[in-house]
Amino acid sequence: MALRAVVRSVSHYVPGRRVTNDDLSALMDTSDAWITERTGIKERRFIDSEGVTTSQLGEAAARQALDRAGWAAQDVDLIVAATLSPDLYFPGIGVILQQRLGCRAIPALDIRAQCSGLVYGLSCVDGYVKSRQAKKILLVCAEVQSPVLDLTTRGRDMAVLFGDGAGALAIEACEAEEGDPLVQRGIIDSHLGSDGSGAEVLCMKLPGTARPGFIKESDIQEGLVHPKMEGKVVFKNAVGRLLETAQTLLKRNGLQPGQIDLIVPHQANLRINEMVREELKLPPERVFNNIERYGNTTAATIPICLSEAVAEGRLREGSLVLTLAFGAGFTWGGNLVRW
Ligand code: ACO
């Protein structure tokens, strides 16, 4: 008998407020041409009103994932949540989701791997399943990033990239005999990595204990409460680590790139994903991108892509999927999943 972590459903939720590149151009010195050419982004979603929380977006995605799986909230025996933009400094959103969804007093785990939240999350879920610690798991990835962006010319390099959104997966431990089609399905393999020398290359310094005085008025004036990035360094590392991850997972599982039905990469920059695709010599239809409509929703990009890929019929039961992510930390990784 083999024990597999099988994805039963995926869902996503994005707020209704569309913010186009032209809308941002009215707030700062930027242009639709610069943003489109450098990143592939045309618009992103921002929360509809101040005070909408990350857990609210996560809850909307999670409720639909539960419905699609045919599960009640009471069936879930583990919540794994990933975000870099929690409702509160502490606790994380896992426990808030537990309460909001009406789950039992189950464990709720928070992952802080930024854009790699989904790939770390799937690896974690696989471990819980294979060690028989959980059977029905909700993996929720959600972000509300718009309130911390510096929407002025000072912050334009970061402000044009990010959006708000959420995705959720219902994942079930399934036991199958050899020969049963179920034995082929589920999370097959994961590869994760980190390099903390990049911690301050892409980060938001406050609130944080590294700053004496925690948060001072002058820190706010200096813009330390906004995310910062050395874009070119991140870009170069992203391409290298994404390729390394893809090649590691392919080699370890005896696969050629052409045998993957769909690559679902993190959505940080269309040029990054195109470079990875070209290096793997795959046609455009084998890589799913939607950065044009949502920008970078950090932990939520891959689940939003998976949810849309299912809705568009590009991801079906039996499809072989490769997820790939790189983000702040640096963290990176990928998962090979038979849908
Ligand atoms: N509009 C207009 N001009 C701008 C903007 C803007 N929004 N932002 C920066 N510029 C200017 C800069 O000031 C600079 O001007 P200068 O040449 O006069 O100094 C010029 O445009 C070029 O800036 P670069 O930063 O060199 O632009 P680059 O081509 O590197 O593109 C980008 C920037 C899009 C951020 C790219 O570096 C990138 O995508 N990096 C990787 C992002 C990523 O992968 N992030 C990881 C995930 S995020 C996470 O984990 C939270």
Side-chain angles (χ1 to χ4, degrees):
M1 291 288 259
L3 195 52
R4 309 303 298 251
V6 175
V7 178
R8 288 300 189 196
S9 71
V10 60
S11 183
H12 74 281
Y13 174 82
V14 288
R17 188 173 149 217
R18 284 193 160 80
V19 177
T20 64
N21 293 344
D22 287 337
D23 293 333
L24 292 181
S25 305
L27 301 173
M28 62 190 82
D29 181 13
T30 190
S31 65
D32 176 46
W34 192 96
I35 303 169
T36 306
E37 188 193 311
R38 290 297 219 285
T39 70
I41 301 167
K42 297 297 283 183
E43 61 179 45
R44 71 286 295 141
R45 304 295 182 94
F46 282 3
I47 46 168
D48 296 299
S49 58
E50 227 178 306
V52 172
T53 63
T54 303
S55 66
Q56 278 174 278
L57 304 196
E59 179 190 355
R63 285 201 183 279
Q64 199 175 37
L66 287 174
D67 278 354
R68 288 181 177 174
W71 297 359
Q74 294 280 314
D75 297 333
V76 176
D77 56 13
L78 172 69
I79 292 171
V80 179
T83 188
L84 63 57
S85 51
D87 299 15
L88 308 171
Y89 183 69
F90 74 85
I93 62 164
V95 292
I96 301 174
L97 286 164
Q98 180 273 335
Q99 185 268 331
R100 278 186 170 278
L101 293 166
C103 295
R104 290 175 288 118
I106 54 171
L109 188 71
D110 280 85
I111 291 184
R112 293 207 50 182
Q114 296 64 248
C115 294
S116 309
L118 179 281
V119 298
Y120 269 63
L122 279 181
S123 170
C124 174
V125 166
D126 197 31
Y128 269 83
V129 164
K130 290 187 175 149
S131 59
R132 299 184 184 274
Q133 294 186 76
K135 285 186 175 156
K136 286 193 162 136
I137 303 158
L138 254 184
L139 172 59
V140 185
C141 303
E143 305 285 359
V144 171
Q145 308 183 100
S146 54
V148 300
L149 297 173
D150 180 357
L151 293 168
T152 68
T153 299
R154 180 180 70 172
R156 67 181 179 174
D157 59 330
M158 288 298 268
V160 301
L161 304 177
F162 294 93
D164 303 333
L169 287 87
I171 302 165
E172 186 167 16
C174 295
E175 214 138 10
E177 304 265 9
E178 280 310 315
D180 180 338
L182 205 57
V183 86
Q184 307 293 335
R185 292 186 59 196
I187 301 167
I188 296 166
D189 197 3
S190 299
H191 173 75
L192 306 178
S194 74
D195 175 6
S197 70
E200 296 202 11
V201 175
L202 169 53
C203 70
M204 192 169 112
K205 289 201 168 167
L206 293 175
T209 52
R211 191 80 180 161
F214 200 58
I215 299 185
K216 296 195 293 275
E217 188 58 39
S218 57
D219 296 333
I220 297 170
Q221 305 302 335
E222 282 171 40
L224 295 180
V225 291
H226 304 295
K228 295 274 186 296
M229 171 169 71
E230 291 172 38
K232 282 197 194 326
V233 179
V234 178
F235 193 105
K236 206 168 150 245
N237 276 277
V239 174
R241 293 301 187 185
L242 292 173
L243 267 173
E244 176 193 296
T245 301
Q247 281 153 356
T248 301
L249 284 169
L250 289 169
K251 190 168 174 215
R252 204 152 70 195
N253 291 277
L255 292 164
Q256 294 301 316
Q259 289 174 278
I260 303 293
D261 294 305
L262 195 63
I263 293 191
V264 182
H266 172 52
Q267 306 288 300
N269 189 318
L270 192 57
R271 288 188 295 141
I272 293 177
N273 293 352
E274 281 295 282
M275 286 171 91
V276 171
R277 179 182 72 73
E278 279 164 20
E279 206 57 45
L280 295 174
K281 300 186 174 46
L282 288 172
E285 63 273 16
R286 291 290 183 93
V287 179
F288 194 95
N289 289 301
N290 60 13
I291 190 168
E292 186 183 343
R293 284 175 288 124
Y294 303 123
N296 182 350
T297 57
T298 303
T301 59
I302 297 177
I304 295 174
C305 285
L306 291 169
S307 175
E308 290 198 338
V310 170
E312 291 172 21
R314 289 176 66 185
L315 190 50
R316 294 180 212 94
E317 197 172 304
S319 300
L320 191 57
V321 189
L322 177 64
T323 62
L324 293 173
F326 179 88
F330 298 134
T331 59
W332 63 87
N335 322 97
L336 193 60
V337 183
R338 177 75 68 185
W339 204 255

